[in-house]
Amino acid sequence: MAENRSDGALSVDQQWSRVRGSLRSEFGEAAYKSWLQPLKLASLRDGEVTMSAPTRFMREWVMSRYADRIRAIWHGENPAIRSIAIAVHGGSGPRAAPSPASEQQPAWRAAASPKAADDDRYFGGALDLRFTFKNFVVGKSNEFTYAAARRVAEADAAPFNPLFIYGGVGLGKTHLMHAIAWHIRGRDPNRRVIYLSAEKFMYQFIRALRYQHTMAFKEQFRSVDVLMIDDVQFIGGKGSTQEEFFHTFNALVDQNRQLIITADRSPSDLDGMEERLRSRLGWGLVADIHPTDYELRLGILQSKLEQLGAGNVPERVLEFLAHKIASNVRELEGALNRVVAYATLVGRPVTLETTQELLQDLLRANDRRVTIEEIQKRVAAHFNIRITDMHSARRARAVARPRQVAMYLAKQLTPRSLPEIGRKFGGRDHTTVMHAVRKIEQLCETDASFAEDVELMRRMLEG
Ligand code: ADP
Ligand code: MG
């Protein structure tokens, strides 16, 4: 399975045995033996892990009492896992005849709201209970999109149509979409809000074609008040689905129904999509989510920690995580979950050292190696000097100071030794580098605006 391994991660079976270990220590021997040990690992697909229980009753019991923790622990082990389902295995009791995989109705999903799962009017995907506005932390990188999402959620008539949200993986697009859905449903349960992934849309459409249900398929979509399609970049390439999507789209917009679309790129960058569809997607409001900055990451960690109700993670550890795991919020959450699970396990707060050990794999992947060349480039651009001046023998203050800043940053941000750094700066001696480092440290202490400048460059380099 492709999604369960990234750079030497554990196999699903290994993850499962770790999950069991965590469950055992979290719930104690007795509860574990009665309810959790009998669970078997069945499959992992599309971010959903399915386990099976020997009886229906057991399944219900586990779902009602342990599902959230099982899901969270799985997610901590493998951030790709978003939801869990429990099926019934074994010979006892009546079993449904095997149905085509596509038709199967998983009995119960932890990520789904019971309301959404039970209500067959909602043929879309289930909504994640955690993805609410309340749980969304706002920062510079997402405030615009957040405001747009709120606006749509609170409006009675579509304020912009469609709302097109785009941004990189794990930056909160799906979260915001679900938040809009929860909000609208909360205000007026009668409004039909449909959320589904573009893949699911295509799949349903293709199935409708095969069984000649296309009329019903169209009707379904055309009677909704709000239609949300997630990850629309996957619609590219399939001619007839695009065609249908386009018609559905136009019909809804004409009736002033709200459409909300997400993608990993802007409408104009959606290659493989017809031009008329692309331009149509850009008609309403296009809002992008930028990569997170340190403050937002720290804010998210603090908020998640509160949600988890686990107080025993020191601030230093949170700062370390926010600093180190810059790739996306999903990984950040995964890291926090691991740390929390560990702290719960050993019953005392984790230290920085333990954290580093626990998260070795994640940290390595996130270690953006800043090179000395990048530093020189950035610093030269900042002071508006030529890169060659980083190597040159010129001693004029206008070039010597920036050069010292670059040496200082090289010492701070790379694992290079003083002599190595010296060599990269036109073959200077290591004492020159040492002198530069001291000089910049001094200046930072005495000159606040200089210090701010240096800090700014450092942040930009760390991305
Ligand atoms: P995307 O759909 O953009 O790939 P998701 O919406 O699935 O990303 O977000 C990934 C994870 O990160 C989710 O668990 C989500 O709750 C969390 N997340 C992302 N951004 C934020 C935020 N600003 N505040 C709180 N949680 C966030
Ligand atoms: Mg998403």
Side-chain angles (χ1 to χ4, degrees):
M1 277 172 273
E3 63 175 315
N4 59 8
R5 304 191 63 98
S6 63
D7 66 319
L10 301 176
S11 73
V12 194
D13 285 332
Q14 287 169 318
Q15 289 169 7
W16 172 226
S17 88
R18 287 173 58 103
V19 169
R20 287 157 71 100
S22 302
L23 289 171
R24 177 186 235 133
S25 51
E26 194 167 322
F27 294 108
E29 202 59 32
Y32 178 77
K33 278 238 166 76
S34 317
W35 306 109
L36 301 164
Q37 195 171 41
L39 294 179
K40 291 205 170 100
L41 178 63
S43 66
L44 168 60
R45 263 188 62 217
D46 299 330
E48 177 166 280
V49 65
T50 303
M51 287 147 289
S52 64
T55 65
R56 218 179 219 308
F57 172 70
M58 225 165 198
R59 180 190 69 198
E60 242 89 60
W61 186 273
V62 170
M63 284 313 290
S64 64
R65 264 149 240 247
Y66 303 108
D68 283 348
R69 286 304 298 152
I70 298 179
R71 200 203 59 79
I73 294 171
W74 263 114
H75 184 69
E77 281 302 328
N78 180 347
I81 290 173
R82 313 289 308 285
S83 61
I84 63 162
I86 298 190
V88 178
H89 70 249
S92 60
R95 272 193 73 181
S99 53
S102 54
E103 296 281 357
Q104 83 186 3
Q105 265 290 333
W108 234 108
R109 287 163 198 274
S113 88
K115 192 163 139 220
D118 292 345
D119 189 342
D120 58 14
R121 285 187 318 144
Y122 295 114
F123 56 92
L127 298 176
D128 193 312
L129 281 167
R130 300 163 309 147
F131 291 0
T132 59
F133 282 128
K134 198 173 131 267
N135 288 346
F136 192 81
V137 184
V138 185
K140 277 200 203 71
S141 57
N142 59 25
E143 62 186 357
F144 176 65
T145 306
Y146 171 79
R150 279 221 82 109
R151 186 68 207 292
V152 164
E154 280 156 14
D156 290 316
F160 10 76
N161 219 355
L163 169 60
F164 187 102
I165 298 175
Y166 77 91
V169 176
L171 296 181
K173 301 182 294 295
T174 300
H175 186 135
L176 277 178
M177 241 186 182
H178 287 204
I180 298 173
W182 284 124
H183 193 90
I184 293 177
R185 284 193 194 169
R187 278 177 60 217
D188 179 359
N190 293 320
R191 281 180 87 192
R192 290 203 12 117
V193 181
I194 300 299
Y195 163 85
L196 77 178
S197 64
E199 278 169 313
K200 195 152 181 184
F201 177 89
M202 287 199 309
Y203 164 75
Q204 294 203 353
F205 176 64
I206 291 162
R207 213 177 52 164
L209 276 182
R210 182 173 325 136
Y211 297 110
Q212 302 178 338
H213 292 326
T214 42
M215 277 310 286
F217 175 81
K218 287 177 191 179
E219 282 315 307
Q220 262 183 340
F221 284 103
R222 291 178 188 185
S223 61
V224 307
D225 295 303
V226 181
L227 176 62
M228 305 179 161
I229 302 204
D230 206 356
D231 287 321
V232 83
Q233 70 272 8
F234 293 123
I235 282 191
K238 317 267 156 81
S240 56
T241 344
Q242 275 197 38
E243 186 75 22
E244 182 51 35
F245 181 57
F246 186 69
H247 290 310
T248 307
F249 189 105
N250 285 332
L252 289 171
V253 171
D254 286 347
Q255 295 169 50
N256 209 16
R257 306 290 167 75
Q258 179 72 56
L259 259 127
I260 305 167
I261 312 279
T262 72
D264 65 354
R265 62 200 90 160
S266 75
S268 54
D269 289 332
L270 284 167
D271 30 66
M273 194 169 275
E274 287 173 43
E275 175 51 34
R276 57 173 186 165
L277 188 49
R278 260 190 285 169
S279 80
R280 191 79 211 238
L281 286 172
W283 265 24
L285 182 73
V286 177
D288 59 336
I289 304 187
H290 299 271
T292 55
D293 56 27
Y294 172 79
E295 277 76 23
L296 179 59
R297 290 196 293 274
L298 191 60
I300 290 174
L301 286 171
Q302 281 157 345
S303 143
K304 300 276 173 202
L305 198 59
E306 226 167 84
Q307 282 171 51
L308 288 170
N312 52 355
V313 180
E315 191 68 19
R316 275 182 67 208
V317 170
L318 295 186
E319 286 167 5
F320 175 76
L321 295 179
H323 183 65
K324 286 291 189 180
I325 302 185
S327 49
N328 72 56
V329 181
R330 196 170 297 147
E331 290 205 343
L332 195 62
E333 278 186 330
L336 182 67
N337 284 336
R338 251 196 250 179
V339 169
V340 168
Y342 181 84
T344 315
L345 211 88
V346 300
R348 57 171 190 273
V350 287
T351 63
L352 215 47
E353 289 68 39
T354 335
T355 305
Q356 268 164 315
E357 225 176 278
L358 276 173
L359 302 176
Q360 256 176 26
D361 52 337
L362 265 182
L363 293 173
R364 221 176 298 126
N366 274 276
D367 232 345
R368 265 195 78 251
R369 297 236 170 266
V370 181
T371 64
I372 293 181
E373 286 74 16
E374 277 178 81
I375 294 173
Q376 292 174 330
K377 221 162 119 184
R378 164 68 60 191
V379 175
H382 183 91
F383 289 101
N384 204 13
I385 63 171
R386 289 172 310 182
I387 296 184
T388 49
D389 281 329
M390 289 287 166
H391 318 278
S392 77
R394 290 180 60 203
R395 289 178 181 208
R397 169 75 70 83
V399 296
R401 186 72 82 226
R403 199 188 289 134
Q404 287 177 325
V405 171
M407 289 182 198
Y408 166 82
L409 287 171
K411 182 70 198 125
Q412 295 264 306
L413 302 179
T414 74
R416 304 271 162 249
S417 65
L418 295 176
E420 281 175 301
I421 295 172
R423 274 199 290 282
K424 295 268 187 179
F425 284 83
R428 287 179 157 79
D429 192 53
H430 77 275
T431 52
T432 311
V433 182
M434 204 156 68
H435 174 74
V437 172
R438 289 221 189 99
K439 182 77 204 168
I440 299 303
E441 278 170 353
Q442 255 171 32
L443 278 173
C444 283
E445 266 165 36
T446 52
D447 181 343
S449 83
F450 180 80
E452 221 174 273
D453 258 10
V454 173
E455 177 60 25
L456 183 74
M457 281 180 269
R458 193 171 68 81
R459 292 234 187 126
M460 289 177 97
L461 282 161
E462 285 183 322

